[in-house]
Amino acid sequence: MSIRVLIADDHAVVRSGLSMLINAQPDMEVVESAADGREAFDKTLAIKPDIVVMDISMPPGESGLSATARIKEAAPDVHILILTMHDDEEYLFRVLQAGASGYILKSAPDFDLITAIRQVHSGAAYLYPSATKSLIQEFLQRVQNGEDQGKFDVLTDREREILSLIARGYSNKEIAEQLILSVKTIETHKTKIMEKLHLKTRPELVRYAAKKGLLEFE
């Protein structure tokens, strides 16, 4: 079945361009669009798309950030991919805290957006490379200030390895194949990791792993 996408952006030309790009993919279709956060919230609850591609700034109506938080509270199974021109950690942290599963710049190539939609739909988080590096830079600053040291030490080496693979977008099945373990064992490790770190969602795991420098870059 196609990945059902709702596009939320206050510019009609952007909505039109994104619709053409997404509808050209064999496994995707745009099922609705919205011009502000309030409309995005109402339409998301009405049709329950798989993915909402959300612009973070949509004046003069409700912002994408506010709509993201409300959607995740009312419809937690809907994944939200933030599309924005802002390439700084202030926006990155705010959208992750609001519950978004991904973050990509409007200046990114078309292919990256399509990849991000597929990755978020699969249950993985997607952080645009420059944004992820900002997270790690922020973490390094915290380390220099002597913060955020305790919880990571309670993880075993295997749990740290699995945390890294989860954060980089691998599914439980892919991790099991790579580590020659059963899927059930990976699920058990993931549950223990989240309990030890007091985390509840995959985006939180990704954010934590990024802060710990567990993501790899080419």
Side-chain angles (χ1 to χ4, degrees):
M1 295 180 62
S2 295
I3 301 172
R4 302 170 64 251
V5 180
L6 184 150
I7 298 171
D9 193 288
D10 59 326
H11 293 97
V13 66
V14 173
R15 296 196 301 273
S16 177
L18 290 176
S19 294
M20 291 178 62
L21 171 65
I22 293 170
N23 285 330
Q25 309 307 311
D27 58 341
M28 301 179 188
E29 65 171 326
V30 175
V31 294
E32 190 56 271
S33 64
D36 61 36
R38 185 180 302 277
E39 187 179 10
F41 175 80
D42 292 340
K43 290 186 175 180
T44 296
L45 264 58
I47 67 174
K48 296 293 177 60
D50 299 310
I51 305 286
V52 176
V53 176
M54 180 86 73
D55 183 13
I56 197 172
S57 303
M58 291 184 287
E62 182 179 9
S63 73
L65 185 67
S66 173
T68 294
R70 292 209 298 141
I71 288 171
K72 292 306 294 185
E73 182 177 358
D77 291 337
V78 175
H79 300 293
I80 301 176
L81 177 65
I82 297 296
L83 181 66
T84 178
M85 67 180 67
H86 302 290
D87 184 16
D88 62 65
E89 52 265 50
E90 174 190 355
Y91 286 94
L92 173 60
F93 284 113
R94 288 172 66 191
V95 298
L96 292 177
Q97 290 168 354
S101 297
Y103 177 104
I104 188 167
L105 301 180
K106 286 187 174 182
S107 59
D110 292 350
F111 175 80
D112 285 345
L113 174 61
I114 297 303
T115 298
I117 292 173
R118 292 194 178 110
Q119 190 162 315
V120 168
H121 180 255
S122 73
Y126 183 91
L127 299 180
Y128 200 62
S130 60
T132 310
K133 290 174 183 176
S134 294
L135 275 176
I136 293 178
Q137 289 170 357
E138 191 270 350
F139 167 70
L140 292 176
Q141 183 63 49
R142 289 171 63 92
V143 170
Q144 291 175 3
N145 294 335
E147 304 175 24
D148 200 26
Q149 294 291 329
K151 293 187 291 183
F152 189 61
D153 295 335
V154 304
L155 298 183
T156 65
D157 289 341
R158 176 65 84 186
E159 288 168 345
R160 295 180 190 186
E161 183 178 23
I162 292 172
L163 171 59
S164 176
L165 292 170
I166 291 172
R168 284 150 52 199
Y170 290 96
S171 67
N172 289 344
K173 182 179 179 182
E174 290 169 334
I175 296 172
E177 292 174 349
Q178 184 166 331
L179 300 181
I180 315 177
L181 297 171
S182 69
V183 173
K184 185 175 182 181
T185 297
I186 299 302
E187 292 173 346
T188 299
H189 277 300
K190 179 182 175 183
T191 298
K192 290 182 178 179
I193 290 168
M194 298 186 78
E195 288 176 350
K196 288 181 178 181
L197 299 180
H198 307 294
L199 303 175
K200 296 181 180 180
T201 66
R202 181 180 283 266
E204 288 178 337
L205 277 178
V206 173
R207 185 167 69 249
Y208 186 87
K211 288 180 180 180
K212 287 300 179 183
L214 296 178
L215 300 185
E216 295 181 353
F217 301 96
E218 297 180 356

